[in-house]
Amino acid sequence: MKFLRTICRFLVGFLFIFSGFVKAIDPMGSTFKFKDYFAAFGMDALSELAFPLAVVLSTLEFAIGILILFNVHKKTTSSLALLFMSFFTPLTLILALTNPVSDCGCFGDALILSNWETFGKNIIILALTLVVFFTRKIEKDKSSKPIHNLMLAFSLFIALSCSYYSYNHLPLIDFRPYHIGANIQDGMIIPEGVPTDEYKSIFKYKKDGVIKEFDETNYPWQDSTWVYVDVEQIKIKDGYKAPIHDFSISNETEGDITDQVLTDPSYTFLFISRHLSEIDIKGIEQINELASWANNHDYNFICLTASSEDKIKTFKEDHPLNFDFYATDEIQLKTMIRSNPGLMLLQNGTILNKWHWQDIPKTTEIKANLAAYSITQHQTLINKLVILSITTTLLLLIGCFLMLKFRFGAVKNR
């Protein structure tokens, strides 16, 4: 039984850690998902709670995973894990049956699951969690309470730090199709031979004042006593969907300039704001300065937004700017960059760099060779992530060593 408990504990612990971590490094992604759910269930009034709920959920999941993995605070963590799964398992069944949102967001953008796949996954995790819960008394806590509390504090600190950094900058790890190095045109390609959407035609015919529905096998197209009314296409099966879809850049003056932007061999700055009414204007002056610098170097600098023409006009009146505005789908803008506003640098449709509005480079820092500048910046970030990963791993190993030391010491002193 101890062996079964250990296996289940490791699996549940790693799954909770993974789920909490991928949410913690992208708190805005979870915020958008909560808002989608609130809108789908008619609870828009709760939208203001979306961000704090996103942070609390990721922090709790990560902390529960760490504590279960290291077998500390067993009674509390196993109870919390069971409470989590007892709530989310029936919830995901409801989501699978109603399908208000196509992706549950349980693993952020790191792993996209359908609602039925999520429900199946939760059934397995619930079974594992039940084993962990009902076998919690098999092993006694042999390490000291200070070590337990230190492990709890460490897990909370890691999760909250990830959320804080990713909210005030950009996600530490970008799992989305618009990550640095991705080519937008390549992401829009649909490979040959992949499954396509399948539809069923429902024909509506009228006879004696009664409208009846038929399918493609029995509709009375040769019977003159029936009068055709309408036909409806119903999707019965989803086909392959390209990682990047519904992406376009246009305005009323120039029309669609998507291909022009994505095939430009020079540099193109995309200033991104999903809603101009919600934009943080602290960095507008620096943005305007960078736009002037780009124009002086013959680089394109444009703004992408989902705001209406009236909102754009009002914003331009309030803030004299050196760039034009174009319309892009709101969902694509949310996926492209998490901050509002944010900045993206393209060359031939390839994303060279992305910046949170607080990290937008000053013109005195950058050089004409933006590709080299971006590579240097990105490599610096990777180096920081490597150092952070090594440090975190070492701290976990030290914690594990201290726990083992106390446990074996307690056994020896018996």
Side-chain angles (χ1 to χ4, degrees):
M1 185 58 76
K2 282 188 177 181
F3 178 74
L4 177 62
R5 171 180 167 74
T6 301
I7 295 296
C8 292
R9 181 165 56 82
F10 270 69
L11 289 173
V12 172
F14 277 121
L15 284 168
F16 267 80
I17 290 169
F18 179 69
S19 179
F21 178 74
V22 295
K23 291 189 185 79
I25 61 174
D26 187 12
M28 287 309 299
S30 297
T31 300
F32 295 145
K33 189 60 65 176
F34 270 116
K35 287 184 177 180
D36 289 343
Y37 280 124
F38 291 150
F41 289 106
M43 299 186 293
D44 299 81
L46 299 178
S47 292
E48 293 297 320
L49 297 175
F51 178 71
L53 281 174
V55 174
V56 168
L57 179 63
S58 62
T59 302
L60 281 177
E61 280 189 299
F62 186 82
I64 289 171
I66 288 289
L67 297 180
I68 285 179
L69 184 65
F70 285 93
N71 206 29
V72 297
H73 289 297
K74 292 188 300 180
K75 182 179 179 180
T76 303
T77 53
S78 60
S79 299
L80 283 174
L82 184 58
L83 183 64
F84 256 77
M85 297 314 303
S86 297
F87 174 77
F88 283 107
T89 302
L91 176 62
T92 51
L93 175 59
I94 295 171
L95 296 177
L97 293 171
T98 58
N99 200 37
V101 179
S102 59
D103 166 40
C104 74
C106 55
F107 290 137
D109 287 294
L111 184 60
I112 307 297
L113 300 175
S114 69
N115 287 321
W116 279 111
E117 289 171 338
T118 301
F119 174 65
K121 177 263 299 178
N122 282 350
I123 288 291
I124 296 171
I125 299 177
L126 176 60
L128 297 172
T129 305
L130 285 169
V131 174
V132 173
F133 177 78
F134 285 112
T135 59
R136 65 191 184 278
K137 295 181 180 180
I138 289 179
E139 299 174 289
K140 293 182 179 180
D141 288 330
K142 297 170 185 175
S143 52
S144 65
K145 284 188 178 180
I147 296 297
H148 289 194
N149 295 333
L150 184 63
M151 190 64 68
L152 172 61
F154 174 78
S155 59
L156 294 175
F157 173 77
I158 291 294
L160 289 172
S161 295
C162 287
S163 294
Y164 177 83
Y165 178 89
S166 298
Y167 176 74
N168 287 284
H169 301 281
L170 288 177
L172 283 166
I173 304 172
D174 194 346
F175 294 106
R176 290 160 291 156
Y178 293 98
H179 59 81
I180 293 175
N183 184 279
I184 295 177
Q185 285 180 303
D186 291 346
M188 298 167 70
I189 295 174
I190 298 179
E192 292 184 10
V194 297
T196 57
D197 291 344
E198 294 183 14
Y199 292 87
K200 180 180 181 180
S201 297
I202 301 297
F203 297 91
K204 296 180 181 179
Y205 280 80
K206 186 176 181 180
K207 183 178 181 179
D208 299 330
V210 178
I211 296 177
K212 188 175 179 181
E213 294 183 350
F214 301 88
D215 61 25
E216 295 169 334
T217 63
N218 64 355
Y219 69 103
W221 64 279
Q222 290 181 317
D223 188 343
S224 59
T225 61
W226 287 93
V227 179
Y228 170 80
V229 177
D230 193 15
V231 61
E232 182 181 359
Q233 298 290 326
I234 299 175
K235 185 189 290 187
I236 58 175
K237 187 178 180 182
D238 289 325
Y240 174 85
K241 185 173 286 188
I244 296 177
H245 50 276
D246 300 330
F247 176 80
S248 64
I249 303 172
S250 63
N251 65 13
E252 293 183 354
T253 305
E254 299 178 58
D256 193 311
I257 63 167
T258 309
D259 290 338
Q260 179 183 329
V261 170
L262 297 183
T263 57
D264 185 2
S266 184
Y267 300 112
T268 299
F269 286 95
L270 303 180
F271 178 60
I272 300 168
S273 174
R274 51 187 179 271
H275 292 299
L276 294 172
S277 58
E278 301 172 1
I279 196 172
D280 196 314
I281 62 172
K282 295 175 185 175
I284 287 294
E285 288 187 13
Q286 191 172 330
I287 285 289
N288 219 18
E289 184 181 338
L290 182 60
S292 298
W293 179 91
N295 292 331
N296 291 334
H297 286 79
D298 293 325
Y299 303 147
N300 291 321
F301 195 107
I302 61 176
C303 175
L304 307 186
T305 183
S307 296
S308 65
E309 288 294 328
D310 290 339
K311 292 286 178 66
I312 292 174
K313 183 179 178 181
T314 301
F315 190 80
K316 290 170 73 174
E317 289 173 353
D318 294 339
H319 308 281
L321 301 168
N322 300 321
F323 48 86
D324 295 323
F325 288 72
Y326 296 83
T328 299
D329 178 68
E330 180 184 352
I331 294 177
Q332 297 303 309
L333 296 178
K334 288 178 180 179
T335 309
M336 290 171 76
I337 205 156
R338 293 309 196 197
S339 64
N340 186 17
L343 187 68
M344 184 178 285
L345 176 64
L346 301 182
Q347 185 180 39
N348 276 321
T350 298
I351 301 170
L352 299 181
N353 214 336
K354 297 165 69 171
W355 295 274
H356 187 283
W357 68 265
Q358 296 190 105
D359 301 318
I360 289 172
K362 297 179 180 179
T363 55
T364 54
E365 298 174 354
I366 57 179
K367 298 179 180 179
N369 189 347
L370 287 169
Y373 170 78
S374 297
I375 291 171
T376 302
Q377 264 206 334
H378 192 52
Q379 188 60 51
T380 301
L381 176 60
I382 290 175
N383 292 339
K384 289 180 179 178
L385 286 175
V386 170
I387 293 171
L388 178 63
S389 300
I390 293 173
T391 304
T392 304
T393 303
L394 286 174
L395 288 172
L396 282 172
L397 289 173
I398 290 171
C400 184
F401 171 78
L402 290 173
M403 289 175 62
L404 290 172
K405 181 180 177 182
F406 275 99
R407 287 189 180 188
F408 284 115
V411 171
K412 198 179 265 188
N413 292 332
R414 282 185 173 184

